[in-house]
Amino acid sequence: MNEDIFKMRDIFLPHEARRRNALLASGTNLIHYTSAAAAVEIIGKKKVWMRNLRCMNDFSEVDHGISLMQRSLRPPVESEAESGLRAVFRAVDSVFPDTSGAAIKWFDDNVFRLSNKTYITCLSEHAPNELEHGRLSMWRSYTSNQVGVGLVINPMPLYSVTTSYGAFSSPVYYFTDIELRDVFIEISKNITQNRDYVERQGREMVHGFLCILLRSIAMCTKHPGFVEEKEWRIMHTEGIDEQGVLEVDVECVNGIPQPVYKMPLQSQPNLGIVGIDIPQLLSGVIIGPTQFPFVVWDAISMVLSRAGVDDAMSIIKPSNIPLRT
């Protein structure tokens, strides 16, 4: 079954498969930029928050992806992306008639949930030239009135995230209209070239992967101007995804009470959830520009040790970017 899922992913989501495979092949880690206070909370309580998109900095960029998909689904816009998506629909409908109509209806029925009931946490690819200092643009987001910290993580657990966990991961895409058209054309050719295989998977699975395609483009496409972020997202949408092992609570953030989903950083092999305990998940910590790097170093080291990390001091490093005052 897993082999079929991976092959169907390669057919319907080749753009995602390329990003995942490239990340694995290059040995690139991911990094979660946050405040030092939040990092202590994550490590100490072994939980990561997922906040509603509408309360995040980049909610407008989610509107960008959803608007892009809505325009592509609503002729006669006649954009480049729309022409590519129509090719995908023709290819799918040639295998199972009217599947595209059912997928469009699914998207229309769920667009409010996707826009308003989606909870995320954000990661970024940790490039080799950032190993010592992190990324300046990200530090600027977290060091204006506080100390920033980058939690460097092993990406392998993202491959084992299942519906039992309640969340799924995806890279963020920075497509131009023509690039998105080309991705859709590639997908249509994949379906046509693998028609017999796709047909053997059945209408339900094909419909499911087509909905995943629409959802991933809508929820994970940002303006090309943000490409340097190299973002990945872990997401959960109420009413679409199972809650799994996620916990939900109400927290006040900057005076705003809001529901927050919390991802437990504890492996549960019986559910296929492995490698997410902090000693296995966390490969390093970078302390952002601050006047107090060694005080923060000591504090982070203490909570890491309590979380079971051996020789915690050795995986922490201060960023060598000068602090501007």
PDB file of all heavy atoms in Angstrom, residues 29-30 42 48 123 151-158 165 234 263-267 274-284 309 315:
ATOM      1  N   ASN A  29      18.932  19.916   6.700  1.00  0.00           N
ATOM      2  CA  ASN A  29      18.017  19.932   7.837  1.00  0.00           C
ATOM      3  C   ASN A  29      16.966  21.024   7.640  1.00  0.00           C
ATOM      4  O   ASN A  29      17.055  21.855   6.732  1.00  0.00           O
ATOM      5  CB  ASN A  29      18.777  20.198   9.134  1.00  0.00           C
ATOM      6  CG  ASN A  29      19.514  18.974   9.632  1.00  0.00           C
ATOM      7  OD1 ASN A  29      19.033  17.853   9.489  1.00  0.00           O
ATOM      8  ND2 ASN A  29      20.687  19.171  10.207  1.00  0.00           N
ATOM      9  N   LEU A  30      15.988  21.033   8.520  1.00  0.00           N
ATOM     10  CA  LEU A  30      15.010  22.108   8.594  1.00  0.00           C
ATOM     11  C   LEU A  30      15.257  22.888   9.875  1.00  0.00           C
ATOM     12  O   LEU A  30      15.902  22.394  10.802  1.00  0.00           O
ATOM     13  CB  LEU A  30      13.588  21.554   8.563  1.00  0.00           C
ATOM     14  CG  LEU A  30      13.187  20.809   7.276  1.00  0.00           C
ATOM     15  CD1 LEU A  30      11.827  20.143   7.439  1.00  0.00           C
ATOM     16  CD2 LEU A  30      13.170  21.755   6.096  1.00  0.00           C
ATOM     17  N   ILE A  42       8.808  24.803  24.081  1.00  0.00           N
ATOM     18  CA  ILE A  42       8.750  23.632  23.199  1.00  0.00           C
ATOM     19  C   ILE A  42       9.566  22.482  23.774  1.00  0.00           C
ATOM     20  O   ILE A  42       9.096  21.340  23.855  1.00  0.00           O
ATOM     21  CB  ILE A  42       9.265  24.006  21.796  1.00  0.00           C
ATOM     22  CG1 ILE A  42       8.276  24.920  21.081  1.00  0.00           C
ATOM     23  CG2 ILE A  42       9.521  22.743  20.954  1.00  0.00           C
ATOM     24  CD1 ILE A  42       8.832  25.553  19.809  1.00  0.00           C
ATOM     25  N   VAL A  48       4.792  21.351  20.298  1.00  0.00           N
ATOM     26  CA  VAL A  48       4.904  22.477  19.377  1.00  0.00           C
ATOM     27  C   VAL A  48       3.506  22.991  19.078  1.00  0.00           C
ATOM     28  O   VAL A  48       2.606  22.204  18.753  1.00  0.00           O
ATOM     29  CB  VAL A  48       5.606  22.063  18.059  1.00  0.00           C
ATOM     30  CG1 VAL A  48       5.633  23.232  17.082  1.00  0.00           C
ATOM     31  CG2 VAL A  48       7.022  21.578  18.341  1.00  0.00           C
ATOM     32  N   LEU A 123       8.465  25.908   9.160  1.00  0.00           N
ATOM     33  CA  LEU A 123       9.873  25.538   9.163  1.00  0.00           C
ATOM     34  C   LEU A 123      10.519  26.126   7.925  1.00  0.00           C
ATOM     35  O   LEU A 123       9.839  26.603   7.019  1.00  0.00           O
ATOM     36  CB  LEU A 123      10.027  24.008   9.152  1.00  0.00           C
ATOM     37  CG  LEU A 123       9.237  23.220  10.198  1.00  0.00           C
ATOM     38  CD1 LEU A 123       9.261  21.736   9.865  1.00  0.00           C
ATOM     39  CD2 LEU A 123       9.805  23.454  11.586  1.00  0.00           C
ATOM     40  N   LEU A 151      15.659  26.307  16.048  1.00  0.00           N
ATOM     41  CA  LEU A 151      15.715  24.892  16.408  1.00  0.00           C
ATOM     42  C   LEU A 151      15.949  24.094  15.132  1.00  0.00           C
ATOM     43  O   LEU A 151      15.080  24.038  14.251  1.00  0.00           O
ATOM     44  CB  LEU A 151      14.416  24.459  17.084  1.00  0.00           C
ATOM     45  CG  LEU A 151      14.041  25.205  18.375  1.00  0.00           C
ATOM     46  CD1 LEU A 151      12.688  24.720  18.889  1.00  0.00           C
ATOM     47  CD2 LEU A 151      15.122  25.026  19.443  1.00  0.00           C
ATOM     48  N   VAL A 152      17.121  23.495  15.018  1.00  0.00           N
ATOM     49  CA  VAL A 152      17.485  22.747  13.818  1.00  0.00           C
ATOM     50  C   VAL A 152      17.013  21.307  13.984  1.00  0.00           C
ATOM     51  O   VAL A 152      17.359  20.633  14.965  1.00  0.00           O
ATOM     52  CB  VAL A 152      19.008  22.782  13.591  1.00  0.00           C
ATOM     53  CG1 VAL A 152      19.366  22.065  12.291  1.00  0.00           C
ATOM     54  CG2 VAL A 152      19.511  24.224  13.571  1.00  0.00           C
ATOM     55  N   ILE A 153      16.211  20.841  13.016  1.00  0.00           N
ATOM     56  CA  ILE A 153      15.599  19.527  13.191  1.00  0.00           C
ATOM     57  C   ILE A 153      15.922  18.596  12.016  1.00  0.00           C
ATOM     58  O   ILE A 153      16.194  19.012  10.905  1.00  0.00           O
ATOM     59  CB  ILE A 153      14.068  19.628  13.375  1.00  0.00           C
ATOM     60  CG1 ILE A 153      13.397  20.057  12.075  1.00  0.00           C
ATOM     61  CG2 ILE A 153      13.715  20.566  14.514  1.00  0.00           C
ATOM     62  CD1 ILE A 153      11.894  19.915  12.121  1.00  0.00           C
ATOM     63  N   ASN A 154      15.865  17.323  12.335  1.00  0.00           N
ATOM     64  CA  ASN A 154      16.033  16.262  11.357  1.00  0.00           C
ATOM     65  C   ASN A 154      14.730  16.116  10.572  1.00  0.00           C
ATOM     66  O   ASN A 154      13.668  15.905  11.165  1.00  0.00           O
ATOM     67  CB  ASN A 154      16.369  14.967  12.108  1.00  0.00           C
ATOM     68  CG  ASN A 154      16.299  13.737  11.240  1.00  0.00           C
ATOM     69  OD1 ASN A 154      16.343  13.808  10.014  1.00  0.00           O
ATOM     70  ND2 ASN A 154      16.178  12.582  11.883  1.00  0.00           N
ATOM     71  N   PRO A 155      14.755  16.217   9.241  1.00  0.00           N
ATOM     72  CA  PRO A 155      13.501  16.178   8.481  1.00  0.00           C
ATOM     73  C   PRO A 155      12.903  14.791   8.295  1.00  0.00           C
ATOM     74  O   PRO A 155      11.763  14.670   7.859  1.00  0.00           O
ATOM     75  CB  PRO A 155      13.906  16.761   7.121  1.00  0.00           C
ATOM     76  CG  PRO A 155      15.341  16.382   6.973  1.00  0.00           C
ATOM     77  CD  PRO A 155      15.922  16.457   8.366  1.00  0.00           C
ATOM     78  N   MET A 156      13.647  13.745   8.629  1.00  0.00           N
ATOM     79  CA  MET A 156      13.153  12.396   8.359  1.00  0.00           C
ATOM     80  C   MET A 156      11.780  12.100   8.971  1.00  0.00           C
ATOM     81  O   MET A 156      10.953  11.438   8.339  1.00  0.00           O
ATOM     82  CB  MET A 156      14.167  11.349   8.834  1.00  0.00           C
ATOM     83  CG  MET A 156      15.330  11.147   7.878  1.00  0.00           C
ATOM     84  SD  MET A 156      14.794  10.657   6.215  1.00  0.00           S
ATOM     85  CE  MET A 156      14.028   9.075   6.561  1.00  0.00           C
ATOM     86  N   PRO A 157      11.484  12.570  10.203  1.00  0.00           N
ATOM     87  CA  PRO A 157      10.147  12.286  10.746  1.00  0.00           C
ATOM     88  C   PRO A 157       9.009  12.814   9.885  1.00  0.00           C
ATOM     89  O   PRO A 157       7.881  12.311   9.970  1.00  0.00           O
ATOM     90  CB  PRO A 157      10.175  12.975  12.118  1.00  0.00           C
ATOM     91  CG  PRO A 157      11.610  12.947  12.508  1.00  0.00           C
ATOM     92  CD  PRO A 157      12.354  13.176  11.219  1.00  0.00           C
ATOM     93  N   LEU A 158       9.273  13.822   9.045  1.00  0.00           N
ATOM     94  CA  LEU A 158       8.213  14.327   8.176  1.00  0.00           C
ATOM     95  C   LEU A 158       7.732  13.256   7.203  1.00  0.00           C
ATOM     96  O   LEU A 158       6.613  13.312   6.697  1.00  0.00           O
ATOM     97  CB  LEU A 158       8.707  15.541   7.388  1.00  0.00           C
ATOM     98  CG  LEU A 158       9.049  16.788   8.206  1.00  0.00           C
ATOM     99  CD1 LEU A 158       9.501  17.909   7.286  1.00  0.00           C
ATOM    100  CD2 LEU A 158       7.866  17.236   9.042  1.00  0.00           C
ATOM    101  N   TYR A 165      -1.337  10.914  13.302  1.00  0.00           N
ATOM    102  CA  TYR A 165      -0.761  12.062  14.000  1.00  0.00           C
ATOM    103  C   TYR A 165      -1.700  13.256  13.974  1.00  0.00           C
ATOM    104  O   TYR A 165      -1.716  14.069  14.892  1.00  0.00           O
ATOM    105  CB  TYR A 165       0.584  12.433  13.363  1.00  0.00           C
ATOM    106  CG  TYR A 165       1.422  13.353  14.222  1.00  0.00           C
ATOM    107  CD1 TYR A 165       1.985  12.887  15.409  1.00  0.00           C
ATOM    108  CD2 TYR A 165       1.636  14.670  13.859  1.00  0.00           C
ATOM    109  CE1 TYR A 165       2.750  13.727  16.210  1.00  0.00           C
ATOM    110  CE2 TYR A 165       2.409  15.515  14.656  1.00  0.00           C
ATOM    111  CZ  TYR A 165       2.957  15.034  15.827  1.00  0.00           C
ATOM    112  OH  TYR A 165       3.706  15.869  16.617  1.00  0.00           O
ATOM    113  N   ILE A 234       3.713  22.484   8.515  1.00  0.00           N
ATOM    114  CA  ILE A 234       2.986  21.361   9.099  1.00  0.00           C
ATOM    115  C   ILE A 234       1.600  21.895   9.422  1.00  0.00           C
ATOM    116  O   ILE A 234       1.468  22.924  10.092  1.00  0.00           O
ATOM    117  CB  ILE A 234       3.683  20.817  10.346  1.00  0.00           C
ATOM    118  CG1 ILE A 234       5.107  20.366   9.997  1.00  0.00           C
ATOM    119  CG2 ILE A 234       2.889  19.659  10.944  1.00  0.00           C
ATOM    120  CD1 ILE A 234       5.921  19.912  11.201  1.00  0.00           C
ATOM    121  N   MET A 263       1.296  19.787  18.993  1.00  0.00           N
ATOM    122  CA  MET A 263       1.856  18.532  18.515  1.00  0.00           C
ATOM    123  C   MET A 263       2.764  17.943  19.593  1.00  0.00           C
ATOM    124  O   MET A 263       3.779  18.555  19.944  1.00  0.00           O
ATOM    125  CB  MET A 263       2.666  18.746  17.240  1.00  0.00           C
ATOM    126  CG  MET A 263       1.878  19.285  16.073  1.00  0.00           C
ATOM    127  SD  MET A 263       2.900  19.388  14.571  1.00  0.00           S
ATOM    128  CE  MET A 263       4.037  20.703  15.043  1.00  0.00           C
ATOM    129  N   PRO A 264       2.450  16.769  20.130  1.00  0.00           N
ATOM    130  CA  PRO A 264       3.330  16.156  21.130  1.00  0.00           C
ATOM    131  C   PRO A 264       4.590  15.600  20.473  1.00  0.00           C
ATOM    132  O   PRO A 264       4.519  14.905  19.454  1.00  0.00           O
ATOM    133  CB  PRO A 264       2.466  15.037  21.712  1.00  0.00           C
ATOM    134  CG  PRO A 264       1.476  14.713  20.641  1.00  0.00           C
ATOM    135  CD  PRO A 264       1.229  15.991  19.897  1.00  0.00           C
ATOM    136  N   LEU A 265       5.736  15.952  21.036  1.00  0.00           N
ATOM    137  CA  LEU A 265       7.014  15.475  20.497  1.00  0.00           C
ATOM    138  C   LEU A 265       7.416  14.196  21.226  1.00  0.00           C
ATOM    139  O   LEU A 265       8.424  14.135  21.945  1.00  0.00           O
ATOM    140  CB  LEU A 265       8.080  16.563  20.641  1.00  0.00           C
ATOM    141  CG  LEU A 265       7.774  17.868  19.900  1.00  0.00           C
ATOM    142  CD1 LEU A 265       8.904  18.875  20.096  1.00  0.00           C
ATOM    143  CD2 LEU A 265       7.528  17.619  18.416  1.00  0.00           C
ATOM    144  N   GLN A 266       6.600  13.178  21.016  1.00  0.00           N
ATOM    145  CA  GLN A 266       6.835  11.874  21.619  1.00  0.00           C
ATOM    146  C   GLN A 266       6.476  10.802  20.599  1.00  0.00           C
ATOM    147  O   GLN A 266       5.369  10.798  20.045  1.00  0.00           O
ATOM    148  CB  GLN A 266       5.989  11.707  22.885  1.00  0.00           C
ATOM    149  CG  GLN A 266       6.378  12.671  24.009  1.00  0.00           C
ATOM    150  CD  GLN A 266       5.452  12.558  25.208  1.00  0.00           C
ATOM    151  OE1 GLN A 266       4.228  12.682  25.086  1.00  0.00           O
ATOM    152  NE2 GLN A 266       6.030  12.334  26.372  1.00  0.00           N
ATOM    153  N   SER A 267       7.416   9.898  20.356  1.00  0.00           N
ATOM    154  CA  SER A 267       7.175   8.826  19.402  1.00  0.00           C
ATOM    155  C   SER A 267       6.091   7.881  19.920  1.00  0.00           C
ATOM    156  O   SER A 267       5.997   7.614  21.118  1.00  0.00           O
ATOM    157  CB  SER A 267       8.459   8.041  19.143  1.00  0.00           C
ATOM    158  OG  SER A 267       9.425   8.851  18.510  1.00  0.00           O
ATOM    159  N   VAL A 274       7.308   7.896  14.679  1.00  0.00           N
ATOM    160  CA  VAL A 274       8.624   7.599  15.234  1.00  0.00           C
ATOM    161  C   VAL A 274       9.591   8.752  14.946  1.00  0.00           C
ATOM    162  O   VAL A 274       9.393   9.536  14.024  1.00  0.00           O
ATOM    163  CB  VAL A 274       9.205   6.288  14.649  1.00  0.00           C
ATOM    164  CG1 VAL A 274       8.337   5.102  15.042  1.00  0.00           C
ATOM    165  CG2 VAL A 274       9.309   6.370  13.128  1.00  0.00           C
ATOM    166  N   GLY A 275      10.632   8.831  15.766  1.00  0.00           N
ATOM    167  CA  GLY A 275      11.704   9.788  15.524  1.00  0.00           C
ATOM    168  C   GLY A 275      11.404  11.214  15.928  1.00  0.00           C
ATOM    169  O   GLY A 275      12.157  12.116  15.551  1.00  0.00           O
ATOM    170  N   ILE A 276      10.331  11.448  16.686  1.00  0.00           N
ATOM    171  CA  ILE A 276       9.989  12.829  17.030  1.00  0.00           C
ATOM    172  C   ILE A 276      10.252  13.163  18.492  1.00  0.00           C
ATOM    173  O   ILE A 276       9.898  14.238  18.950  1.00  0.00           O
ATOM    174  CB  ILE A 276       8.522  13.162  16.675  1.00  0.00           C
ATOM    175  CG1 ILE A 276       7.549  12.306  17.483  1.00  0.00           C
ATOM    176  CG2 ILE A 276       8.277  12.999  15.180  1.00  0.00           C
ATOM    177  CD1 ILE A 276       6.108  12.777  17.356  1.00  0.00           C
ATOM    178  N   ASP A 277      10.889  12.237  19.245  1.00  0.00           N
ATOM    179  CA  ASP A 277      11.356  12.607  20.575  1.00  0.00           C
ATOM    180  C   ASP A 277      12.475  13.630  20.416  1.00  0.00           C
ATOM    181  O   ASP A 277      13.265  13.574  19.468  1.00  0.00           O
ATOM    182  CB  ASP A 277      11.872  11.375  21.312  1.00  0.00           C
ATOM    183  CG  ASP A 277      10.784  10.340  21.512  1.00  0.00           C
ATOM    184  OD1 ASP A 277       9.919  10.545  22.370  1.00  0.00           O
ATOM    185  OD2 ASP A 277      10.796   9.333  20.770  1.00  0.00           O
ATOM    186  N   ILE A 278      12.578  14.563  21.341  1.00  0.00           N
ATOM    187  CA  ILE A 278      13.517  15.676  21.184  1.00  0.00           C
ATOM    188  C   ILE A 278      14.960  15.230  20.944  1.00  0.00           C
ATOM    189  O   ILE A 278      15.635  15.780  20.073  1.00  0.00           O
ATOM    190  CB  ILE A 278      13.392  16.638  22.379  1.00  0.00           C
ATOM    191  CG1 ILE A 278      12.103  17.459  22.213  1.00  0.00           C
ATOM    192  CG2 ILE A 278      14.596  17.574  22.473  1.00  0.00           C
ATOM    193  CD1 ILE A 278      11.770  18.372  23.345  1.00  0.00           C
ATOM    194  N   PRO A 279      15.481  14.220  21.643  1.00  0.00           N
ATOM    195  CA  PRO A 279      16.871  13.831  21.358  1.00  0.00           C
ATOM    196  C   PRO A 279      17.090  13.353  19.928  1.00  0.00           C
ATOM    197  O   PRO A 279      18.185  13.527  19.384  1.00  0.00           O
ATOM    198  CB  PRO A 279      17.119  12.693  22.358  1.00  0.00           C
ATOM    199  CG  PRO A 279      16.183  12.984  23.492  1.00  0.00           C
ATOM    200  CD  PRO A 279      14.944  13.512  22.819  1.00  0.00           C
ATOM    201  N   GLN A 280      16.067  12.755  19.299  1.00  0.00           N
ATOM    202  CA  GLN A 280      16.199  12.295  17.921  1.00  0.00           C
ATOM    203  C   GLN A 280      15.844  13.390  16.920  1.00  0.00           C
ATOM    204  O   GLN A 280      16.433  13.475  15.837  1.00  0.00           O
ATOM    205  CB  GLN A 280      15.294  11.079  17.664  1.00  0.00           C
ATOM    206  CG  GLN A 280      15.714   9.796  18.364  1.00  0.00           C
ATOM    207  CD  GLN A 280      15.354   9.787  19.837  1.00  0.00           C
ATOM    208  OE1 GLN A 280      14.250  10.164  20.207  1.00  0.00           O
ATOM    209  NE2 GLN A 280      16.293   9.396  20.687  1.00  0.00           N
ATOM    210  N   LEU A 281      14.891  14.222  17.280  1.00  0.00           N
ATOM    211  CA  LEU A 281      14.385  15.233  16.353  1.00  0.00           C
ATOM    212  C   LEU A 281      15.321  16.431  16.236  1.00  0.00           C
ATOM    213  O   LEU A 281      15.551  16.946  15.143  1.00  0.00           O
ATOM    214  CB  LEU A 281      13.007  15.703  16.815  1.00  0.00           C
ATOM    215  CG  LEU A 281      12.298  16.741  15.945  1.00  0.00           C
ATOM    216  CD1 LEU A 281      11.911  16.141  14.603  1.00  0.00           C
ATOM    217  CD2 LEU A 281      11.050  17.282  16.652  1.00  0.00           C
ATOM    218  N   LEU A 282      15.882  16.853  17.360  1.00  0.00           N
ATOM    219  CA  LEU A 282      16.650  18.103  17.396  1.00  0.00           C
ATOM    220  C   LEU A 282      18.134  17.813  17.166  1.00  0.00           C
ATOM    221  O   LEU A 282      18.749  17.039  17.902  1.00  0.00           O
ATOM    222  CB  LEU A 282      16.449  18.781  18.743  1.00  0.00           C
ATOM    223  CG  LEU A 282      16.730  20.278  18.848  1.00  0.00           C
ATOM    224  CD1 LEU A 282      15.804  21.056  17.923  1.00  0.00           C
ATOM    225  CD2 LEU A 282      16.539  20.742  20.290  1.00  0.00           C
ATOM    226  N   SER A 283      18.692  18.441  16.129  1.00  0.00           N
ATOM    227  CA  SER A 283      20.119  18.230  15.852  1.00  0.00           C
ATOM    228  C   SER A 283      20.965  19.440  16.212  1.00  0.00           C
ATOM    229  O   SER A 283      22.199  19.363  16.179  1.00  0.00           O
ATOM    230  CB  SER A 283      20.324  17.891  14.374  1.00  0.00           C
ATOM    231  OG  SER A 283      19.921  18.954  13.542  1.00  0.00           O
ATOM    232  N   GLY A 284      20.340  20.554  16.542  1.00  0.00           N
ATOM    233  CA  GLY A 284      21.105  21.723  16.929  1.00  0.00           C
ATOM    234  C   GLY A 284      20.222  22.883  17.324  1.00  0.00           C
ATOM    235  O   GLY A 284      19.011  22.884  17.043  1.00  0.00           O
ATOM    236  N   VAL A 309      18.641  15.089  26.170  1.00  0.00           N
ATOM    237  CA  VAL A 309      19.693  15.295  25.169  1.00  0.00           C
ATOM    238  C   VAL A 309      21.054  15.159  25.852  1.00  0.00           C
ATOM    239  O   VAL A 309      21.347  15.869  26.823  1.00  0.00           O
ATOM    240  CB  VAL A 309      19.572  16.679  24.511  1.00  0.00           C
ATOM    241  CG1 VAL A 309      20.737  16.918  23.547  1.00  0.00           C
ATOM    242  CG2 VAL A 309      18.238  16.788  23.779  1.00  0.00           C
ATOM    243  N   ILE A 315      25.509  21.018  21.179  1.00  0.00           N
ATOM    244  CA  ILE A 315      24.673  21.213  19.991  1.00  0.00           C
ATOM    245  C   ILE A 315      24.133  22.640  19.903  1.00  0.00           C
ATOM    246  O   ILE A 315      23.368  22.964  19.004  1.00  0.00           O
ATOM    247  CB  ILE A 315      23.508  20.208  19.940  1.00  0.00           C
ATOM    248  CG1 ILE A 315      22.462  20.505  21.017  1.00  0.00           C
ATOM    249  CG2 ILE A 315      24.008  18.774  20.022  1.00  0.00           C
ATOM    250  CD1 ILE A 315      21.169  19.733  20.823  1.00  0.00           C
TER     251      ILE A 315
END
